């Protein structure tokens, strides 16, 4: 997975970009996770997650609310940020920036301490009603274990982001039951996330209407379908982050959940490896259903399996409904869904319906 929110609009000449899987894989041990190889280790990996007592919803955003933009991962582009801020202000929101939003420290938006301080300050400021990630990139797993959730328990906030922000959503769900929003970030690209994407995000965080997303036949994973219907908590995010968080404090309990995943710039064989890992540790044996979002720029070798063939091979024997082809993730036309909310997958009808993530 390369750089994420802009990835679908930038050509990938020769597939030479470094996969985020390689970056994250090198740091799994430091993040507290492990790539597990045995049946005994599989049980240990899933012993850590704990289930929240009940889901927690923040209040729906309203015009006049203060929202803060932070950079938990990589540094955003000022021009793209200006467009995202313009959209948020167009909804009547008062937008402020974390102190280190534009900082640079190697490939990170400031040091771990700076990025963590901005995130914790936003999550625990009683005057801030929502926290929007500036962009993804890389870096949240370096700081996620030190997130201060004390203020969220008293005063839940809307938290928005995708890709690398999967780690933050998982941590907040596990520790507080907070429903987060997997959708576009403020580093906005109109060619990838146009008016429909903006409206989907606004509707998700500013209204209490349920969200229904319908399979798009044009999406790469649209041919992936196992008929059936199931209900459970919608959990997941970027497949790379799900995989590299196993056994760590940001890995949710997927028992009985509707597992959602998507990814970008991962070869079919890499997707195979990550799904095989989820099978080996028992995650895929315990889910109620699977939703596959946008599988973007997955390029394999000539004559070998493509991404669709891998998904069918790894998911079709689970005995649960599987629905692919939803515009959720790094591709064009990205929509927004609440993670942690109760969802119903109707693979036969091609729909995913999710309860409101705000109250």
């Amino acid at each position: 997975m390369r750089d994420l929110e802009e990835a679908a609009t930038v050509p990938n000449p020769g597939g030479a970009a470094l996969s985020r899987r390689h970056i994250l894989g090198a740091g799994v041990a430091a993040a507290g996770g492990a790539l597990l190889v045995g049946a005994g280790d599989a049980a240990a990996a899933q012993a850590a997650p704990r289930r929240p007592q009940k889901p927690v919803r923040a209040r729906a955003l309203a015009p006049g609310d203060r929202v803060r933009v932070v950079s938990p991962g990589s540094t955003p582009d000022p021009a793209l940020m200006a467009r995202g801020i313009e959209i948020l202000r167009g909804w009547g929101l008062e937008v402020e920036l974390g102190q280190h939003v534009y900082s640079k420290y190697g490939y990170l938006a400031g040091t771990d301490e700076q990025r963590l301080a901005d995130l914790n300050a936003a999550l625990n400021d009683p005057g801030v009603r929502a926290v929007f990630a500036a962009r993804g990139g890389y870096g949240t797993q370096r700081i996620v274990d030190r997130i201060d959730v004390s203020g969220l328990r008293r005063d839940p906030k809307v938290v928005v982001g995708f890709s690398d922000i999967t780690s933050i959503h998982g941590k907040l769900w596990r520790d507080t039951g907070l429903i987060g929003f997997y959708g576009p970030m403020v580093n906005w690209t109109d060619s990838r996330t146009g008016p429909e994407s903006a409206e989907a995000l606004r509707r998700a965080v500013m209204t209490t209407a349920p969200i229904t997303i319908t399979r798009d036949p044009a999406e790469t994973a649209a041919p992936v379908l196992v008929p059936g219907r199931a209900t459970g908590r919608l959990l997941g995010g970027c497949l790379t982050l799900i995989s590299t968080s196993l056994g760590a404090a940001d890995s949710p309990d997927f028992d009985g959940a509707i597992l959602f995943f998507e990814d970008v710039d991962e070869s079919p064989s890499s997707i195979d490896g990550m799904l095989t890992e989820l099978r080996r540790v028992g995650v895929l044996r315990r889910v109620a259903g699977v939703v596959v979002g946008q599988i973007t720029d997955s390029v394999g070798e000539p004559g070998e399996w493509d991404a669709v063939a891998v998904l069918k091979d790894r998911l079709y024997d689970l005995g649960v409904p599987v629905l692919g082809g939803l515009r959720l993730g790094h591709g064009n036309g990205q929509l927004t869904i609440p993670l942690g909310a109760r969802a119903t997958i109707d693979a036969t009808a091609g729909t995913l319906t999710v309860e409101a993530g705000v109250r």
Side-chain angles (χ1 to χ4, degrees):
M1 178 178 60
R2 75 176 149 90
D3 188 15
L4 312 192
E5 58 271 25
E6 303 97 33
T9 64
V10 181
N12 181 14
L18 178 65
S19 164
R20 165 108 33 115
R21 174 72 180 174
H22 293 94
I23 298 174
L24 287 172
V28 167
L35 298 183
L36 306 171
V37 296
D41 289 337
Q46 291 305 303
R50 56 190 179 276
R51 196 187 305 271
Q53 293 297 318
K54 61 179 181 179
V56 173
R57 288 173 168 81
R59 174 178 60 79
L61 297 180
D65 281 344
R66 283 173 54 206
V67 302
R68 191 171 300 171
V69 182
V70 298
S71 297
S74 298
T75 310
D77 179 288
L80 299 179
M81 281 280 286
R83 175 58 178 145
I85 291 169
E86 177 185 34
I87 290 171
L88 296 181
R89 287 178 174 160
W91 301 341
L93 302 174
E94 296 184 11
V95 182
E96 55 193 39
L97 303 183
Q99 182 179 353
H100 302 98
V101 162
Y102 295 113
S103 296
K104 289 191 176 183
Y105 180 72
Y107 38 72
L108 304 167
T111 66
D112 289 355
E113 288 70 24
Q114 289 171 333
R115 300 190 330 279
L116 180 66
D118 279 4
L119 179 58
N120 280 338
L123 291 174
N124 291 282
D125 186 330
V128 171
R129 303 314 319 150
V131 180
F132 286 82
R135 64 168 287 187
Y138 169 74
T140 62
Q141 285 188 334
R142 293 172 57 120
I143 64 174
V144 69
D145 297 324
R146 293 186 284 158
I147 292 177
D148 178 4
V149 301
S150 57
L152 283 181
R153 292 193 176 102
R154 299 186 301 269
D155 180 27
K157 293 174 171 55
V158 168
V159 177
V160 180
F162 78 108
S163 191
D164 201 51
I165 311 304
T166 298
S167 188
I168 294 175
H169 288 313
K171 171 70 170 177
L172 299 184
W173 167 256
R174 274 192 50 169
D175 284 4
T176 71
L178 182 70
I179 292 176
F181 293 86
Y182 201 83
M185 292 178 274
V186 184
N187 201 63
W188 198 275
T189 307
D190 281 312
S191 59
R192 190 185 78 83
T193 43
E196 185 181 3
S197 297
E199 174 57 20
L201 176 57
R202 186 203 66 80
R203 187 173 181 270
V205 300
M206 299 188 76
T207 80
T208 57
I211 295 170
T212 297
I213 298 178
T214 302
R215 170 184 171 274
D216 184 343
E219 285 294 332
T220 298
V224 180
L225 190 149
V226 176
R229 182 182 174 93
T231 297
R233 296 287 168 196
L234 184 68
L235 296 172
C238 180
L239 182 58
T240 298
L241 273 293
I242 296 170
S243 173
T244 54
S245 292
L246 289 174
D250 54 324
S251 182
D253 181 348
F254 291 103
D255 287 13
I258 303 296
L259 171 65
F260 154 67
F261 69 84
E262 57 85 22
D263 218 322
V264 62
D265 273 348
E266 294 297 338
S267 68
S269 62
S270 178
I271 294 171
D272 185 325
M274 289 186 278
L275 292 177
T276 297
E277 182 178 32
L278 295 183
R279 290 173 69 102
R280 296 181 70 199
V281 302
V283 168
L284 291 183
R285 289 198 304 268
R286 299 194 292 270
V287 299
V290 179
V291 171
V292 185
Q294 292 171 310
I295 302 298
T296 307
D297 296 339
S298 179
V299 180
E301 296 297 324
E304 296 185 352
W305 277 347
D306 61 10
V308 169
V310 168
L311 292 169
K312 290 180 177 180
D313 179 81
R314 297 285 76 190
L315 300 176
Y316 273 24
D317 65 348
L318 298 178
V320 299
V322 179
L323 174 62
L326 302 189
R327 281 191 286 129
L328 301 167
H330 290 79
N332 292 331
Q334 178 190 12
L335 303 175
T336 300
I337 50 169
L339 293 178
R342 192 167 179 82
T344 297
I345 175 177
D346 188 335
T348 305
T351 58
L352 174 71
T353 302
V354 193
E355 292 180 351
V358 290
R359 54 180 170 80

